[in-house]
Amino acid sequence: MVRHVYLHVPFCRRRCSYCDFSIAVRQRIPAREYVDAVLQELKLLGTTDPGRKPGETEAVGLDTLYLGGGTPSLLPPEAISALLTSLRDAFHVTSSRDDVEVTLEANPESIDAARLAAYRADQTRMVLDDPSNEEPI
């Protein structure tokens, strides 16, 4: 049974020297296109959990959802909300928000008070990464 899901959000404003992840450096973040692509992938899963054993009927749900990257906080709050809602639906999360740990990686340069408030409605933990502290190589 799948209990933990990592969703890679590959967009960044620039590539940090320490980063080895698959990213796409963009000034305009194609949020709608990205969300639509993820939703299509989730539809391919149908109503089955890819980790479910044959004959198993009980939907157990998830323990964690982790949105990493890249810089997931470059997506607008409504895109994050759509992704989390669809992931919860696809993996049979029917309980309250507090029953699943939802983590969002964020860059302090890409968030403000309004975004923090909007993100807080959907996630339980935020990981801040500040590339401005990067030492030149």
Side-chain angles (χ1 to χ4, degrees):
M1 185 70 58
V2 173
R3 303 293 307 210
H4 312 279
V5 172
Y6 171 84
L7 180 65
H8 185 71
V9 181
F11 308 111
C12 291
R13 296 269 189 232
R14 65 183 172 87
R15 178 176 286 282
C16 298
S17 64
Y18 59 82
C19 180
D20 286 333
F21 294 104
S22 176
I23 64 162
V25 176
R26 300 283 186 272
Q27 291 307 305
R28 185 193 79 78
I29 306 302
R32 181 75 261 154
E33 296 90 337
Y34 175 75
V35 170
D36 289 346
V38 171
L39 297 182
Q40 286 298 327
E41 289 286 326
L42 290 173
K43 282 182 186 175
L44 294 175
L45 289 176
T47 58
T48 62
D49 182 332
R52 184 175 292 158
K53 296 174 184 163
E56 190 173 50
T57 58
E58 184 178 332
V60 177
L62 294 174
D63 291 331
T64 59
L65 283 168
Y66 192 101
L67 279 67
T71 311
S73 59
L74 289 175
L75 294 178
E78 59 273 10
I80 296 292
S81 183
L83 289 170
L84 292 174
T85 297
S86 297
L87 285 162
R88 286 179 172 119
D89 290 346
F91 290 96
H92 315 291
V93 177
T94 57
S95 55
S96 74
R97 175 185 72 88
D98 293 329
D99 289 340
V100 178
E101 179 182 283
V102 178
T103 301
L104 174 75
E105 286 183 0
N107 180 321
E109 296 172 352
S110 66
I111 55 175
D112 57 24
R115 278 187 182 236
L116 282 174
Y119 291 147
R120 180 66 186 126
D122 287 314
Q123 52 90 28
T124 54
R125 188 170 75 128
M126 184 171 284
V127 177
L128 294 175
D129 179 26
D130 188 2
S132 65
N133 289 328
E134 180 181 359
E135 291 290 322
I137 295 178

